[in-house]
Amino acid sequence: MVKGMRMREERVAGERSLLLGVGISAIGIGMYIPFSLVFFHHVTGLSFALVGIVLTATGLAGLAVMPLAGSAVDRFGARKVNLLLYAVRALGFALYPFAGSLPAFAAVALVTALADRSFSIVQQSLIGEVARGGARDRLQASIRALQNAGMGAGALAVSGVLALWGTDGFTYTAWGNALAFALAGLLVSRVKPLRGHANGEPGTDGAPGTAKRPPAGYRMVLADRPFLGLTAANFLTALGYSALSVLFPLYITTWLHGPDSLTGAAFTVNTALCAGIGVLIASRVRRSGARRTRAAALGALLFAAAFVGQIVLGTVRPGQTATLVALLVIVVVYTVGELVHSPSGGALSVSAAPEAVRGRYLATYQLSYSLATALAPSLFTGLLALDGRLPWAFLTVAALGAALALTRLERHLPAEAVYAAQPSPAPVPAPEVSPAAATREPAATATA
């Protein structure tokens, strides 16, 4: 730990319930995300084409409602909105097996998509509402690890369900998802916000609570240049996060001419490391006293190193065995970068947002992820068509730019955002006592 600093990691009231709820909901997500088109095709009976059109349209509509979710968090509190979204998702999946017509499916999918898209904003805001200091970094790391483990478990679970009941198992899976989200909501309801967040009293950091807030909206966010810079830096890094799911499979099959099994191996290594050592790495980074900006910058630099490795691999193009080994090493470096960046970057955004308008701030920040996810497929495929190494070169420059921006923004961000360990207050010197005074008998203490 850095001298003169103290780790502020108060235990969160209801933390175990929060994490258990996250893990259970992640199992539900893992039960349908990998099979989304097939899942909804069998649950609703609609064609793949119609299902794809509906999911795309409702997903875009979900992006449009994200700013409203931020406003709702600022008005009602993250915990209440979080519970509402769990309830909406539970109801949506309970209704999917009955949505056999196109209008019914579109209506249920729209409501569910609005909840899904807004959930990351609300969950990040909830972390800021229930934790402070280093506890925010710890929760970020724990939640990410549980999400990876839960999604992997969900994918295995649905495979078992399909093996037992065939395609009818998708209906049971939908109801299982509804149950998972309902149970997660009940668990998260036990989480207690820090004093002042739930009732409109002054918050723990002195900012006004939900009931007494100065008028402020998205104009305040747009006027905060350091936070917008932080959001822009995150957009550059978020493009790197999209590489594993979008660029890796295309690059392996089209440029390296490798088997599809390499893609599966890369995903397995990434998921196993995220679930297995994510909390450990985040804890080491946090306890080292590293500034969040520099930890996030280090994660971006590790991304850049992995991307450079892909350029070298794509230039040399060794045999299949050497390619497999090199690719797995690159995935390990990439994953460590993800595990270093994610907790620090997430806690940095939460702590840099003023409490009274945290929802709006985080809605803006989360748009950087959504925009990167939307642009990645066309950007990567366009660059890959020119040269297989070109998208990796672009990502390398983007990651280096993010690292540079994070370090330059450090001096402009609030100290409580940059440091997980806050400076210890200076000790108050004891008053000097004269020898004569020291020999006097103490005066009697007055009592009421």
Side-chain angles (χ1 to χ4, degrees), residues 381-400:
T381 53
L383 293 174
L384 192 65
L386 300 176
D387 190 296
R389 296 159 295 186
L390 195 55
W392 299 114
F394 177 87
L395 287 174
T396 301
V397 174
L400 293 175

Side-chain angles (χ1 to χ4, degrees), residues 74-390:
D74 292 335
R75 182 174 180 83
F76 302 107
R79 179 176 173 273
K80 292 179 181 178
V81 181
N82 184 274
L83 296 176
L84 174 63
L85 295 186
Y86 270 129
V88 170
R89 295 164 99 188
L91 179 62
F93 277 94
L95 292 177
Y96 270 127
F98 305 103
S101 66
L102 178 59
F105 173 56
V108 176
L110 176 61
V111 174
T112 308
L114 298 183
D116 285 341
R117 290 290 186 178
S118 301
F119 191 78
S120 59
I121 300 169
V122 179
Q123 183 168 268
Q124 289 291 97
S125 300
L126 182 62
I127 292 175
E129 194 172 278
V130 302
R132 57 186 171 189
R136 289 176 177 172
D137 303 68
R138 187 185 69 248
L139 282 180
Q140 293 277 357
S142 298
I143 286 173
R144 187 167 188 83
L146 284 170
Q147 285 174 333
N148 279 276
M151 290 181 67
L156 289 175
V158 74
S159 298
V161 170
L162 295 177
L164 288 174
W165 289 290
T167 55
D168 290 339
F170 281 119
T171 299
Y172 305 138
T173 300
W175 289 333
N177 288 341
L179 179 62
F181 288 129
L183 182 56
L186 289 175
L187 287 166
V188 174
S189 67
R190 301 173 62 183
V191 179
K192 303 299 182 184
L194 292 171
R195 184 183 177 189
H197 284 271
N199 55 14
E201 296 173 1
T204 55
D205 55 3
T210 54
K212 299 179 181 179
R213 288 180 177 139
Y218 280 99
R219 286 184 297 177
M220 180 177 177
V221 184
L222 297 176
D224 192 336
R225 292 186 178 181
F227 191 85
L228 292 181
L230 185 64
T231 303
N234 188 68
F235 169 75
L236 297 177
T237 312
L239 288 171
Y241 277 94
S242 300
L244 185 64
S245 59
V246 179
L247 183 55
F248 266 67
L250 293 174
Y251 180 70
I252 290 171
T253 56
T254 61
W255 187 260
L256 296 181
H257 303 292
D260 292 334
S261 58
L262 286 181
T263 299
F267 274 95
T268 300
V269 170
N270 176 264
T271 302
L273 289 177
C274 286
I277 65 172
V279 175
L280 175 62
I281 288 182
S283 177
R284 291 293 179 88
V285 172
R286 189 171 69 253
R287 295 184 183 281
S288 71
R291 303 174 190 181
R292 288 175 175 141
T293 45
R294 298 187 183 185
L298 175 60
L301 290 177
L302 289 171
F303 269 14
F307 300 151
V308 170
Q310 291 283 28
I311 296 173
V312 173
L313 182 61
T315 302
V316 177
R317 294 187 184 183
Q320 183 171 335
T321 302
T323 297
L324 173 61
V325 173
L327 184 65
L328 293 181
V329 171
I330 290 170
V331 171
V332 169
V333 175
Y334 172 90
T335 304
V336 173
E338 178 181 343
L339 297 178
V340 171
H341 174 272
S342 179
S344 298
L348 183 62
S349 65
V350 172
S351 302
E355 180 185 325
V357 285
R358 183 178 288 139
R360 291 177 174 89
Y361 266 69
L362 292 181
T364 304
Y365 186 82
Q366 289 297 321
L367 279 172
S368 63
Y369 279 114
S370 299
L371 183 60
T373 301
L375 293 178
S378 59
L379 175 64
F380 293 159
T381 53
L383 293 174
L384 192 65
L386 300 176
D387 190 296
R389 296 159 295 186
L390 195 55

